[in-house]
PDB file of all heavy atoms in Angstrom:
ATOM      1  N   MET A  87    -139.672-200.598 -15.402  1.00 62.00           N
ATOM      2  CA  MET A  87    -140.731-200.915 -14.463  1.00 62.00           C
ATOM      3  C   MET A  87    -141.462-199.649 -14.015  1.00 62.00           C
ATOM      4  O   MET A  87    -142.666-199.665 -13.822  1.00 62.00           O
ATOM      5  CB  MET A  87    -140.158-201.643 -13.260  1.00 62.00           C
ATOM      6  CG  MET A  87    -141.242-201.959 -12.267  1.00 62.00           C
ATOM      7  SD  MET A  87    -140.681-202.937 -10.918  1.00 62.00           S
ATOM      8  CE  MET A  87    -141.525-202.129  -9.621  1.00 62.00           C
ATOM      9  N   GLU A  93    -148.217-196.066 -15.514  1.00 86.00           N
ATOM     10  CA  GLU A  93    -149.352-196.288 -16.393  1.00 86.00           C
ATOM     11  C   GLU A  93    -150.611-196.667 -15.610  1.00 86.00           C
ATOM     12  O   GLU A  93    -151.717-196.319 -15.988  1.00 86.00           O
ATOM     13  CB  GLU A  93    -149.019-197.392 -17.396  1.00 86.00           C
ATOM     14  CG  GLU A  93    -150.062-197.582 -18.458  1.00 86.00           C
ATOM     15  CD  GLU A  93    -149.622-198.552 -19.529  1.00 86.00           C
ATOM     16  OE1 GLU A  93    -148.412-198.693 -19.755  1.00 86.00           O
ATOM     17  OE2 GLU A  93    -150.499-199.171 -20.130  1.00 86.00           O
ATOM     18  N   PHE A  94    -150.449-197.391 -14.502  1.00 91.00           N
ATOM     19  CA  PHE A  94    -151.602-197.886 -13.760  1.00 91.00           C
ATOM     20  C   PHE A  94    -151.854-197.166 -12.438  1.00 91.00           C
ATOM     21  O   PHE A  94    -152.985-197.088 -11.982  1.00 91.00           O
ATOM     22  CB  PHE A  94    -151.443-199.383 -13.483  1.00 91.00           C
ATOM     23  CG  PHE A  94    -151.478-200.213 -14.727  1.00 91.00           C
ATOM     24  CD1 PHE A  94    -150.332-200.800 -15.205  1.00 91.00           C
ATOM     25  CD2 PHE A  94    -152.653-200.373 -15.440  1.00 91.00           C
ATOM     26  CE1 PHE A  94    -150.353-201.561 -16.359  1.00 91.00           C
ATOM     27  CE2 PHE A  94    -152.688-201.127 -16.599  1.00 91.00           C
ATOM     28  CZ  PHE A  94    -151.530-201.722 -17.060  1.00 91.00           C
ATOM     29  N   LEU A  99    -150.031-191.025  -6.138  1.00 95.00           N
ATOM     30  CA  LEU A  99    -150.031-192.144  -5.196  1.00 95.00           C
ATOM     31  C   LEU A  99    -148.785-193.016  -5.307  1.00 95.00           C
ATOM     32  O   LEU A  99    -148.619-193.945  -4.523  1.00 95.00           O
ATOM     33  CB  LEU A  99    -151.294-193.003  -5.390  1.00 95.00           C
ATOM     34  CG  LEU A  99    -152.592-192.298  -5.018  1.00 95.00           C
ATOM     35  CD1 LEU A  99    -153.785-193.167  -5.378  1.00 95.00           C
ATOM     36  CD2 LEU A  99    -152.618-191.956  -3.545  1.00 95.00           C
ATOM     37  N   LEU A 100    -147.899-192.719  -6.249  1.00 92.00           N
ATOM     38  CA  LEU A 100    -146.667-193.501  -6.374  1.00 92.00           C
ATOM     39  C   LEU A 100    -145.816-193.429  -5.107  1.00 92.00           C
ATOM     40  O   LEU A 100    -145.063-194.353  -4.815  1.00 92.00           O
ATOM     41  CB  LEU A 100    -145.851-193.043  -7.586  1.00 92.00           C
ATOM     42  CG  LEU A 100    -146.337-193.556  -8.930  1.00 92.00           C
ATOM     43  CD1 LEU A 100    -145.573-192.890 -10.066  1.00 92.00           C
ATOM     44  CD2 LEU A 100    -146.207-195.064  -9.006  1.00 92.00           C
ATOM     45  N   LEU A 106    -145.100-197.982   1.712  1.00 97.00           N
ATOM     46  CA  LEU A 106    -145.569-199.332   2.046  1.00 97.00           C
ATOM     47  C   LEU A 106    -144.406-200.315   2.139  1.00 97.00           C
ATOM     48  O   LEU A 106    -144.428-201.223   2.966  1.00 97.00           O
ATOM     49  CB  LEU A 106    -146.602-199.807   1.028  1.00 97.00           C
ATOM     50  CG  LEU A 106    -147.929-199.058   1.056  1.00 97.00           C
ATOM     51  CD1 LEU A 106    -148.793-199.449  -0.130  1.00 97.00           C
ATOM     52  CD2 LEU A 106    -148.663-199.300   2.359  1.00 97.00           C
ATOM     53  N   LEU A 108    -141.412-199.603   3.239  1.00 96.00           N
ATOM     54  CA  LEU A 108    -140.791-199.371   4.555  1.00 96.00           C
ATOM     55  C   LEU A 108    -141.668-199.908   5.688  1.00 96.00           C
ATOM     56  O   LEU A 108    -141.138-200.455   6.674  1.00 96.00           O
ATOM     57  CB  LEU A 108    -140.504-197.885   4.755  1.00 96.00           C
ATOM     58  CG  LEU A 108    -139.429-197.315   3.830  1.00 96.00           C
ATOM     59  CD1 LEU A 108    -139.330-195.802   3.992  1.00 96.00           C
ATOM     60  CD2 LEU A 108    -138.087-197.990   4.064  1.00 96.00           C
ATOM     61  N   GLY A 110    -143.568-202.486   5.365  1.00 95.00           N
ATOM     62  CA  GLY A 110    -143.352-203.926   5.266  1.00 95.00           C
ATOM     63  C   GLY A 110    -142.047-204.363   5.918  1.00 95.00           C
ATOM     64  O   GLY A 110    -141.997-205.392   6.596  1.00 95.00           O
ATOM     65  N   LEU A 113    -142.641-204.299   9.585  1.00 95.00           N
ATOM     66  CA  LEU A 113    -143.478-205.436   9.990  1.00 95.00           C
ATOM     67  C   LEU A 113    -142.674-206.738   9.995  1.00 95.00           C
ATOM     68  O   LEU A 113    -142.887-207.601  10.851  1.00 95.00           O
ATOM     69  CB  LEU A 113    -144.683-205.568   9.070  1.00 95.00           C
ATOM     70  CG  LEU A 113    -145.759-204.492   9.198  1.00 95.00           C
ATOM     71  CD1 LEU A 113    -146.771-204.615   8.072  1.00 95.00           C
ATOM     72  CD2 LEU A 113    -146.445-204.588  10.554  1.00 95.00           C
ATOM     73  N   ALA A 117    -143.254-208.824  15.390  1.00 94.00           N
ATOM     74  CA  ALA A 117    -143.796-210.150  15.700  1.00 94.00           C
ATOM     75  C   ALA A 117    -144.857-210.602  14.694  1.00 94.00           C
ATOM     76  O   ALA A 117    -145.391-211.701  14.811  1.00 94.00           O
ATOM     77  CB  ALA A 117    -144.394-210.140  17.106  1.00 94.00           C
ATOM     78  N   THR A 119    -146.487-212.262  11.586  1.00 94.00           N
ATOM     79  CA  THR A 119    -146.055-213.367  10.741  1.00 94.00           C
ATOM     80  C   THR A 119    -146.027-212.930   9.273  1.00 94.00           C
ATOM     81  O   THR A 119    -146.788-212.057   8.853  1.00 94.00           O
ATOM     82  CB  THR A 119    -146.983-214.592  10.886  1.00 94.00           C
ATOM     83  OG1 THR A 119    -148.307-214.202  10.541  1.00 94.00           O
ATOM     84  CG2 THR A 119    -146.958-215.131  12.299  1.00 94.00           C
ATOM     85  N   LYS A 121    -147.060-214.243   6.562  1.00 93.00           N
ATOM     86  CA  LYS A 121    -148.261-214.406   5.739  1.00 93.00           C
ATOM     87  C   LYS A 121    -149.260-213.261   5.926  1.00 93.00           C
ATOM     88  O   LYS A 121    -150.117-213.046   5.077  1.00 93.00           O
ATOM     89  CB  LYS A 121    -148.936-215.748   6.008  1.00 93.00           C
ATOM     90  CG  LYS A 121    -149.569-215.880   7.376  1.00 93.00           C
ATOM     91  CD  LYS A 121    -150.225-217.236   7.524  1.00 93.00           C
ATOM     92  CE  LYS A 121    -150.913-217.351   8.870  1.00 93.00           C
ATOM     93  NZ  LYS A 121    -151.598-218.633   9.007  1.00 93.00           N
ATOM     94  N   TRP A 125    -151.350-208.705   3.523  1.00 95.00           N
ATOM     95  CA  TRP A 125    -152.714-208.268   3.852  1.00 95.00           C
ATOM     96  C   TRP A 125    -152.708-206.929   4.572  1.00 95.00           C
ATOM     97  O   TRP A 125    -153.554-206.069   4.312  1.00 95.00           O
ATOM     98  CB  TRP A 125    -153.428-209.326   4.697  1.00 95.00           C
ATOM     99  CG  TRP A 125    -153.682-210.577   3.930  1.00 95.00           C
ATOM    100  CD1 TRP A 125    -153.006-211.757   4.039  1.00 95.00           C
ATOM    101  CD2 TRP A 125    -154.656-210.777   2.907  1.00 95.00           C
ATOM    102  NE1 TRP A 125    -153.507-212.678   3.150  1.00 95.00           N
ATOM    103  CE2 TRP A 125    -154.530-212.103   2.444  1.00 95.00           C
ATOM    104  CE3 TRP A 125    -155.622-209.966   2.339  1.00 95.00           C
ATOM    105  CZ2 TRP A 125    -155.327-212.617   1.436  1.00 95.00           C
ATOM    106  CZ3 TRP A 125    -156.424-210.486   1.337  1.00 95.00           C
ATOM    107  CH2 TRP A 125    -156.272-211.805   0.903  1.00 95.00           C
ATOM    108  N   GLY A 128    -151.784-204.272   2.024  1.00 96.00           N
ATOM    109  CA  GLY A 128    -152.936-204.001   1.167  1.00 96.00           C
ATOM    110  C   GLY A 128    -153.955-203.126   1.856  1.00 96.00           C
ATOM    111  O   GLY A 128    -154.476-202.166   1.272  1.00 96.00           O
ATOM    112  N   SER A 135    -155.027-194.630   0.115  1.00 97.00           N
ATOM    113  CA  SER A 135    -155.581-194.214  -1.174  1.00 97.00           C
ATOM    114  C   SER A 135    -156.945-193.559  -0.992  1.00 97.00           C
ATOM    115  O   SER A 135    -157.239-192.532  -1.614  1.00 97.00           O
ATOM    116  CB  SER A 135    -155.705-195.413  -2.117  1.00 97.00           C
ATOM    117  OG  SER A 135    -154.436-195.912  -2.451  1.00 97.00           O
ATOM    118  N   PHE A 136    -157.794-194.139  -0.141  1.00 95.00           N
ATOM    119  CA  PHE A 136    -159.093-193.534   0.150  1.00 95.00           C
ATOM    120  C   PHE A 136    -158.916-192.140   0.734  1.00 95.00           C
ATOM    121  O   PHE A 136    -159.646-191.211   0.368  1.00 95.00           O
ATOM    122  CB  PHE A 136    -159.888-194.380   1.138  1.00 95.00           C
ATOM    123  CG  PHE A 136    -160.600-195.549   0.527  1.00 95.00           C
ATOM    124  CD1 PHE A 136    -160.603-196.762   1.181  1.00 95.00           C
ATOM    125  CD2 PHE A 136    -161.277-195.450  -0.679  1.00 95.00           C
ATOM    126  CE1 PHE A 136    -161.259-197.861   0.649  1.00 95.00           C
ATOM    127  CE2 PHE A 136    -161.939-196.531  -1.226  1.00 95.00           C
ATOM    128  CZ  PHE A 136    -161.928-197.747  -0.561  1.00 95.00           C
ATOM    129  N   THR A 143    -160.760-184.957  -4.150  1.00 90.00           N
ATOM    130  CA  THR A 143    -161.830-185.093  -5.128  1.00 90.00           C
ATOM    131  C   THR A 143    -163.132-184.516  -4.584  1.00 90.00           C
ATOM    132  O   THR A 143    -163.456-184.719  -3.416  1.00 90.00           O
ATOM    133  CB  THR A 143    -162.053-186.588  -5.478  1.00 90.00           C
ATOM    134  OG1 THR A 143    -160.815-187.155  -5.874  1.00 90.00           O
ATOM    135  CG2 THR A 143    -163.060-186.757  -6.572  1.00 90.00           C
ATOM    136  N   GLN A 144    -163.867-183.858  -5.447  1.00 89.00           N
ATOM    137  CA  GLN A 144    -165.196-183.376  -5.102  1.00 89.00           C
ATOM    138  C   GLN A 144    -166.176-184.516  -5.361  1.00 89.00           C
ATOM    139  O   GLN A 144    -166.389-184.902  -6.503  1.00 89.00           O
ATOM    140  CB  GLN A 144    -165.549-182.151  -5.956  1.00 89.00           C
ATOM    141  CG  GLN A 144    -166.843-181.499  -5.602  1.00 89.00           C
ATOM    142  CD  GLN A 144    -166.765-180.771  -4.268  1.00 89.00           C
ATOM    143  OE1 GLN A 144    -165.703-180.398  -3.817  1.00 89.00           O
ATOM    144  NE2 GLN A 144    -167.903-180.569  -3.646  1.00 89.00           N
ATOM    145  N   ILE A 145    -166.742-185.072  -4.316  1.00 86.00           N
ATOM    146  CA  ILE A 145    -167.676-186.191  -4.443  1.00 86.00           C
ATOM    147  C   ILE A 145    -169.073-185.641  -4.205  1.00 86.00           C
ATOM    148  O   ILE A 145    -169.414-185.271  -3.089  1.00 86.00           O
ATOM    149  CB  ILE A 145    -167.344-187.311  -3.438  1.00 86.00           C
ATOM    150  CG1 ILE A 145    -165.919-187.809  -3.658  1.00 86.00           C
ATOM    151  CG2 ILE A 145    -168.347-188.450  -3.559  1.00 86.00           C
ATOM    152  CD1 ILE A 145    -165.419-188.764  -2.607  1.00 86.00           C
ATOM    153  N   LEU A 153    -167.286-194.303  -7.500  1.00 94.00           N
ATOM    154  CA  LEU A 153    -166.021-194.134  -8.209  1.00 94.00           C
ATOM    155  C   LEU A 153    -164.866-193.953  -7.225  1.00 94.00           C
ATOM    156  O   LEU A 153    -163.781-194.519  -7.412  1.00 94.00           O
ATOM    157  CB  LEU A 153    -166.096-192.939  -9.159  1.00 94.00           C
ATOM    158  CG  LEU A 153    -164.845-192.676  -9.985  1.00 94.00           C
ATOM    159  CD1 LEU A 153    -164.514-193.873 -10.870  1.00 94.00           C
ATOM    160  CD2 LEU A 153    -165.027-191.421 -10.824  1.00 94.00           C
ATOM    161  N   GLY A 162    -155.044-198.716  -3.981  1.00 96.00           N
ATOM    162  CA  GLY A 162    -154.424-199.290  -2.782  1.00 96.00           C
ATOM    163  C   GLY A 162    -153.843-200.666  -3.039  1.00 96.00           C
ATOM    164  O   GLY A 162    -152.725-200.976  -2.609  1.00 96.00           O
ATOM    165  N   ALA A 166    -149.787-201.481  -2.998  1.00 95.00           N
ATOM    166  CA  ALA A 166    -149.304-202.536  -2.105  1.00 95.00           C
ATOM    167  C   ALA A 166    -148.625-203.636  -2.914  1.00 95.00           C
ATOM    168  O   ALA A 166    -147.555-204.145  -2.532  1.00 95.00           O
ATOM    169  CB  ALA A 166    -150.455-203.111  -1.281  1.00 95.00           C
ATOM    170  N   GLY A 167    -149.225-204.006  -4.029  1.00 92.00           N
ATOM    171  CA  GLY A 167    -148.615-205.019  -4.889  1.00 92.00           C
ATOM    172  C   GLY A 167    -147.259-204.578  -5.413  1.00 92.00           C
ATOM    173  O   GLY A 167    -146.314-205.369  -5.473  1.00 92.00           O
ATOM    174  N   SER A 169    -145.213-202.509  -3.935  1.00 92.00           N
ATOM    175  CA  SER A 169    -144.235-202.514  -2.840  1.00 92.00           C
ATOM    176  C   SER A 169    -143.758-203.934  -2.533  1.00 92.00           C
ATOM    177  O   SER A 169    -142.573-204.153  -2.272  1.00 92.00           O
ATOM    178  CB  SER A 169    -144.807-201.848  -1.587  1.00 92.00           C
ATOM    179  OG  SER A 169    -145.766-202.672  -0.968  1.00 92.00           O
ATOM    180  N   ASN A 173    -139.950-205.408  -3.011  1.00 84.00           N
ATOM    181  CA  ASN A 173    -139.303-206.200  -1.974  1.00 84.00           C
ATOM    182  C   ASN A 173    -138.731-207.495  -2.555  1.00 84.00           C
ATOM    183  O   ASN A 173    -137.608-207.888  -2.243  1.00 84.00           O
ATOM    184  CB  ASN A 173    -140.299-206.507  -0.856  1.00 84.00           C
ATOM    185  CG  ASN A 173    -139.687-207.313   0.256  1.00 84.00           C
ATOM    186  OD1 ASN A 173    -138.562-207.057   0.663  1.00 84.00           O
ATOM    187  ND2 ASN A 173    -140.411-208.282   0.747  1.00 84.00           N
ATOM    188  N   ILE A 176    -135.594-206.852  -4.620  1.00 84.00           N
ATOM    189  CA  ILE A 176    -134.434-206.611  -3.762  1.00 84.00           C
ATOM    190  C   ILE A 176    -133.916-207.932  -3.201  1.00 84.00           C
ATOM    191  O   ILE A 176    -132.705-208.184  -3.184  1.00 84.00           O
ATOM    192  CB  ILE A 176    -134.787-205.611  -2.638  1.00 84.00           C
ATOM    193  CG1 ILE A 176    -135.013-204.228  -3.252  1.00 84.00           C
ATOM    194  CG2 ILE A 176    -133.709-205.563  -1.568  1.00 84.00           C
ATOM    195  CD1 ILE A 176    -135.618-203.214  -2.315  1.00 84.00           C
ATOM    196  N   LYS A 177    -134.824-208.804  -2.761  1.00 84.00           N
ATOM    197  CA  LYS A 177    -134.413-210.117  -2.251  1.00 84.00           C
ATOM    198  C   LYS A 177    -133.692-210.924  -3.316  1.00 84.00           C
ATOM    199  O   LYS A 177    -132.665-211.550  -3.048  1.00 84.00           O
ATOM    200  CB  LYS A 177    -135.628-210.905  -1.744  1.00 84.00           C
ATOM    201  CG  LYS A 177    -136.138-210.487  -0.411  1.00 84.00           C
ATOM    202  CD  LYS A 177    -137.276-211.411   0.005  1.00 84.00           C
ATOM    203  CE  LYS A 177    -137.817-211.037   1.351  1.00 84.00           C
ATOM    204  NZ  LYS A 177    -138.921-211.924   1.748  1.00 84.00           N
ATOM    205  N   LYS A 179    -132.109-209.817  -5.919  1.00 82.00           N
ATOM    206  CA  LYS A 179    -130.807-209.172  -6.204  1.00 82.00           C
ATOM    207  C   LYS A 179    -129.772-209.607  -5.185  1.00 82.00           C
ATOM    208  O   LYS A 179    -128.636-209.930  -5.533  1.00 82.00           O
ATOM    209  CB  LYS A 179    -130.986-207.654  -6.164  1.00 82.00           C
ATOM    210  CG  LYS A 179    -129.708-206.865  -6.278  1.00 82.00           C
ATOM    211  CD  LYS A 179    -129.450-206.459  -7.692  1.00 82.00           C
ATOM    212  CE  LYS A 179    -128.290-205.511  -7.797  1.00 82.00           C
ATOM    213  NZ  LYS A 179    -127.017-206.152  -8.011  1.00 82.00           N
ATOM    214  N   HIS A 180    -130.161-209.668  -3.912  1.00 79.00           N
ATOM    215  CA  HIS A 180    -129.232-210.102  -2.865  1.00 79.00           C
ATOM    216  C   HIS A 180    -128.860-211.564  -3.044  1.00 79.00           C
ATOM    217  O   HIS A 180    -127.721-211.954  -2.778  1.00 79.00           O
ATOM    218  CB  HIS A 180    -129.819-209.865  -1.480  1.00 79.00           C
ATOM    219  CG  HIS A 180    -129.861-208.416  -1.085  1.00 79.00           C
ATOM    220  ND1 HIS A 180    -128.740-207.628  -1.007  1.00 79.00           N
ATOM    221  CD2 HIS A 180    -130.901-207.603  -0.773  1.00 79.00           C
ATOM    222  CE1 HIS A 180    -129.077-206.417  -0.652  1.00 79.00           C
ATOM    223  NE2 HIS A 180    -130.385-206.367  -0.508  1.00 79.00           N
TER     224      HIS A 180
END
Side-chain angles (χ1 to χ4, degrees):
M87 179 175 138
E93 187 173 333
F94 294 108
L99 293 174
L100 281 172
L106 292 171
L108 293 173
L113 289 170
T119 58
K121 69 179 182 178
W125 293 104
S135 294
F136 279 138
T143 307
Q144 185 71 23
I145 302 172
L153 181 60
S169 73
N173 181 42
I176 291 169
K177 283 184 179 180
K179 173 95 172 91
H180 288 301

